[in-house]
């Protein structure tokens, strides 16, 4: 069996959920894993008893549901410049582990270390659906799509042995010989929990910094209970008795997701995939400036799986109208019960076999 370095970004909860699921699958096949991550993702993996090499976290800066592009680039550039000594340390740690392969989920330090030591690598993420598939978008988004492809191509390594993309929608691949598309990667807890339909709506925003209007919209529906994750309770939280503010916590989030009557969230891939698997109606609000989320929302609507609000946050009228249409989306659909874990493991092992044959 192989020794694999598995590296992931700490931007958002989805990457850590995907890697946790894949860790279980790969370890069950006898592969030995060394993880490379920082922030909450690294902490989550370490708490599960896995060996983690910590790296600096490069984060997007958000304000009012929009990425602050130049501020984000400047911040990431500054952190990268200040932490250049991380690479030699990573090379030393990787060489001691003696891996056959690096799998990177959009983590940049590990890629630079792998280049320095000649370690083969493969990419495994959702973002490269933007660069490795042929999808159609409305004309107003053509420029955004082109810019997003450029940014992802610049950020992703160009020497990958293979690109593995996980997605809940399936546009044709540009180059099937060098890339693969699999169904969503689902952690065991999602696959095993039995969904129910409760009375609350789960609300999640990946970074509510400076967010205006969403809490007020929920408060304007006093008859509806909302459970809000990742929100700091405002000074006037007492005037919003129908909103329960909950700190991010994996097991509690899973329970509330499984029992929700509906989900209102940003358009990140992992939460959409998990909610669809559990048969939850979805209303999403893509982060402006992150075209991957816009594309997720477009396909969610195109395939009749949920609804989306673009370029703003939902207002009270939007929430009320969506909640009045839940019957359109409630229930588990056979097409959404696909799980890509086994296909992803098979793809990784095919890459390892190809490398061993050289």
């Amino acid at each position: 069996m192989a020794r694999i370095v598995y590296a992931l970004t700490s931007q958002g909860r989805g990457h850590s959920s995907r890697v946790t699921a894949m860790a279980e699958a790969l370890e069950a096949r006898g592969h030995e894993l060394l993880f490379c991550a920082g922030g909450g993702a690294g902490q989550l993996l370490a708490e599960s008893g896995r060996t983690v090499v910590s790296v600096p976290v490069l984060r997007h800066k958000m304000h009012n549901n929009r990425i602050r592009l130049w501020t984000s680039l400047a911040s990431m550039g500054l952190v990268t410049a200040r932490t250049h000594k991380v690479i030699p340390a990573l090379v030393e740690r990787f060489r001691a582990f003696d891996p056959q392969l690096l799998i990177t989920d959009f983590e940049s330090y590990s890629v630079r270390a792998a280049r320095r030591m000649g370690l083969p690598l493969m990419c495994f993420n959702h973002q490269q659906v933007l660069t490795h598939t042929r999808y159609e978008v409305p004309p107003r988004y053509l420029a955004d799509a082109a810019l997003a492809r450029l940014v992802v191509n610049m950020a992703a390594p160009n020497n990958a042995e293979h690109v593995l993309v996980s997605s809940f929608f399936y546009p044709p691949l540009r180059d099937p010989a060098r890339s693969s598309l699999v169904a969503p990667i689902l952690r065991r807890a999602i696959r095993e929990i039995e969904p129910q339909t409760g009375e609350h709506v789960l609300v999640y925003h990946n970074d509510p910094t400076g967010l205006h209007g969403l809490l007020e919209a929920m408060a304007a529906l006093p008859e509806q209970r909302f459970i809000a994750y990742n929100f700091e309770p405002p000074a006037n939280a007492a005037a919003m008795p129908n909103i329960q503010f909950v700190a991010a916590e994996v097991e509690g989030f899973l329970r509330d997701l499984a029992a929700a009557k509906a989900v209102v969230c940003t358009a990140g891939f992992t939460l959409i995939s998990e909610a669809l698997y559990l048969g939850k109606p979805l209303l999403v609000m893509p982060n402006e400036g992150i075209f991957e989320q816009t594309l997720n929302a477009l396909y969610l609507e195109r395939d009749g799986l949920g609804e989306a609000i673009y370029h703003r946050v939902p207002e009270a009228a939007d929430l009320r109208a969506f909640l009045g249409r839940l019957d359109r989306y409630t229930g588990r659909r056979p097409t959404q019960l696909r799980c890509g874990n086994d296909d992803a493991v098979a793809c990784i092992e095919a890459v390892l076999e190809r490398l061993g044959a050289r």
Side-chain angles (χ1 to χ4, degrees):
M1 294 294 101
R3 289 180 300 278
I4 302 169
V5 175
Y6 204 140
L8 67 149
T9 179
S10 288
Q11 182 77 41
R13 60 177 286 277
H15 298 270
S16 57
S17 294
R18 180 162 55 246
V19 171
T20 298
M22 287 308 302
E24 295 172 352
L26 289 167
E27 288 165 350
R29 297 279 294 172
H31 299 294
E32 186 178 354
L33 303 179
L34 174 67
F35 295 91
C36 181
Q43 181 180 354
L44 183 66
L45 288 164
E47 288 174 353
S48 70
R50 295 180 169 92
T51 304
V52 181
V53 180
S54 182
V55 290
V57 177
L58 304 178
R59 295 189 185 279
H60 299 142
K61 302 294 183 182
M62 301 287 298
H63 186 81
N64 197 22
N65 201 41
R66 184 177 184 86
I67 187 172
R68 301 171 67 182
L69 179 60
W70 298 113
T71 301
S72 298
L73 292 175
S75 174
M76 292 182 199
L78 185 60
V79 172
T80 301
R82 287 177 174 172
T83 56
H84 65 278
K85 294 183 180 179
V86 168
I87 307 304
L90 275 183
V91 170
E92 183 178 349
R93 186 67 181 85
F94 288 0
R95 281 180 173 153
F97 182 63
D98 191 26
Q100 282 83 49
L101 180 68
L102 165 70
I103 301 174
T104 176
D105 189 340
F106 250 68
E107 200 292 309
S108 60
Y109 290 94
S110 59
V111 170
R112 292 161 64 190
R115 283 197 187 115
R116 187 170 295 189
M117 58 189 291
L119 175 64
L121 65 88
M122 67 178 293
C123 298
F124 185 13
N125 54 66
H126 176 65
Q127 286 91 335
Q128 284 180 280
V129 73
L130 300 175
T131 55
H132 284 67
T133 67
R134 301 183 186 277
Y135 51 86
E136 296 181 357
V137 296
R140 66 173 297 180
Y141 293 116
L142 289 175
D144 292 344
L147 178 60
R149 283 195 296 270
L150 176 64
V151 170
V152 171
N153 276 327
M154 291 176 61
N158 58 9
N159 62 329
E161 300 289 333
H162 201 77
V163 175
L164 180 56
V165 178
S166 179
S167 181
F168 69 89
F169 55 94
Y170 308 98
L173 290 164
R174 292 177 178 271
D175 185 356
R178 299 187 62 244
S179 56
S180 301
L181 189 64
V182 299
I185 306 303
L186 300 169
R187 49 198 167 122
R188 182 188 304 160
I190 288 288
R191 302 194 309 270
E192 294 181 352
I193 198 166
E194 189 64 34
Q196 300 175 347
T197 302
E199 295 301 321
H200 68 270
V201 174
L202 184 141
V203 181
Y204 173 83
H205 197 287
N206 56 353
D207 187 347
T209 303
L211 189 66
H212 299 299
L214 182 57
L215 295 180
E216 291 76 9
M218 290 188 281
L221 277 65
E223 72 284 0
Q224 176 59 58
R225 179 178 174 232
F226 295 91
I227 299 181
Y229 273 87
N230 212 34
F231 291 82
E232 189 71 26
N236 64 336
M240 303 175 174
N242 63 321
I243 304 176
Q244 178 184 353
F245 294 93
V246 183
E249 189 265 318
V250 174
E251 292 185 4
F253 184 89
L254 176 59
R255 288 194 302 270
D256 289 334
L257 175 61
K261 67 188 289 186
V263 177
V264 177
C265 61
T266 41
F269 163 66
T270 296
L271 181 50
I272 288 179
S273 299
E274 292 179 350
L276 289 175
Y277 187 82
L278 296 174
K280 302 301 176 181
L282 275 159
L283 174 63
V284 301
M285 46 186 152
N287 293 143
E288 279 211 71
I290 301 181
F291 182 72
E292 174 210 341
Q293 290 210 1
T294 299
L295 188 65
N296 291 341
L298 289 169
Y299 269 92
L300 185 77
E301 288 195 303
R302 182 178 299 178
D303 293 343
L305 301 173
E307 300 182 11
I309 300 291
Y310 301 91
H311 313 299
R312 60 180 178 85
V313 299
E315 299 173 354
D318 299 312
L319 295 176
R320 187 173 288 108
F322 168 65
L323 293 173
R325 294 190 290 263
L326 295 187
D327 288 347
R328 297 183 185 181
Y329 311 109
T330 300
R332 307 180 85 172
R333 306 183 185 194
T335 56
Q336 293 305 318
L337 293 179
R338 297 174 61 185
C339 175
N341 299 27
D342 290 342
D343 289 339
V345 170
C347 181
I348 292 168
E349 291 185 335
V351 172
L352 287 166
E353 184 176 357
R354 192 164 69 240
L355 290 171
R358 289 182 178 177

